[in-house]
Amino acid sequence: MTNFENSEQQIVTVKARADKAINSLKGILLGIISDDKIDSYEMKELQLWAREHHYLVNRNPFREFMSLIDNTVSNGIPPKEAVEDLYWLCQKYEHDSIYYNGITSDLQQLQGIFHGILSDGELNDTEIFKLHEWLSENEHLNSYYPYDEIRSLVLSVVSDKKIEEDERLILMAFIKQFVELSNNDVKASIDKATADINISGICAVDPEIIFENKTFCVTGILSRGTRTELQNAIKDKGGIPVNSISKKTDYLIIGDTSNACWSYACYGRKVEKALDLRKSGHTIVLVHEFDVFDAI
């Protein structure tokens, strides 16, 4: 057997092991949630699965699996939520593994386009129409952030084939979220031009948070406190903390230390559901934990 054939066989073998590990995990998760109760013994089985498959830790999405299992106890994530996140990741792996590398590459390219467009501190008509052209050619990214939101925004701007100054500034304000410019003068110029623009991306910017009789759900790992502390503070302000997203949820609080799912699937299970609800017309505000803690 040649070295090439041996390497090829090893790749196939690792892929087969990864698929088997995913199927095994999915089965364990289905068994755990079958009675709607999750105890410490069941969580230990998940930890055992993580140890047995640690050799796959550098392969997507196993790093996310391991991290989520490890962080469940240490960061106070409810076991039921962790299990649901893990199962969601398994499904994402099944559906997205073929396309994942290409999608990641295309999203990185989109971020590069953002950077290139704003590198001179301006956003002209030609750049906007070229961005529209690229977005139209990459509709396979439609369910991924930030493509989904920039696509909607650009379509609304170019629909009449005329770009007004306020539309240009809104686009600039959205795009600058994803760009770290090295030229401080250019950055300051963009910040000044968009200072009065309020846009809503994955998290609302400077949101007005009303607590009285509003429902709040948390996702991710908080950096300013524990979930219990935040939920108690929300109760003290008249709010209603909940553990799962629904049409009745008013706010989804996103932890500063992002859910491990984000690095594999762009955003986590709860965020994905919240965005789907928002797109279907339900009013749900995604807010950063810092904004909530500041409001409290």
Side-chain angles (χ1 to χ4, degrees), residues 215-282:
T215 58
F216 293 78
C217 184
V218 181
T219 188
I221 300 168
L222 304 175
S223 64
R224 285 196 180 179
T226 66
R227 287 195 180 200
T228 300
E229 290 170 344
L230 180 57
Q231 289 172 337
N232 288 337
I234 289 170
K235 287 180 183 177
D236 291 341
K237 298 283 285 187
I240 306 166
V242 296
N243 291 321
S244 59
I245 287 280
S246 73
K247 294 177 182 179
K248 296 180 180 179
T249 306
D250 296 297
Y251 296 92
L252 177 63
I253 303 169
I254 298 175
D256 184 57
T257 308
S258 300
N259 188 313
C261 301
W262 288 41
S263 57
Y264 175 64
C266 298
Y267 34 70
R269 175 179 55 86
K270 286 183 178 178
V271 178
E272 181 179 69
K273 186 171 182 180
L275 289 174
D276 286 342
L277 286 170
R278 195 165 73 177
K279 288 175 182 177
S280 62
H282 298 285

Side-chain angles (χ1 to χ4, degrees), residues 9 14 81 103 106 220 235:
Q9 183 177 5
V14 172
E81 179 178 327
I103 285 170
D106 290 341
K235 287 180 183 177

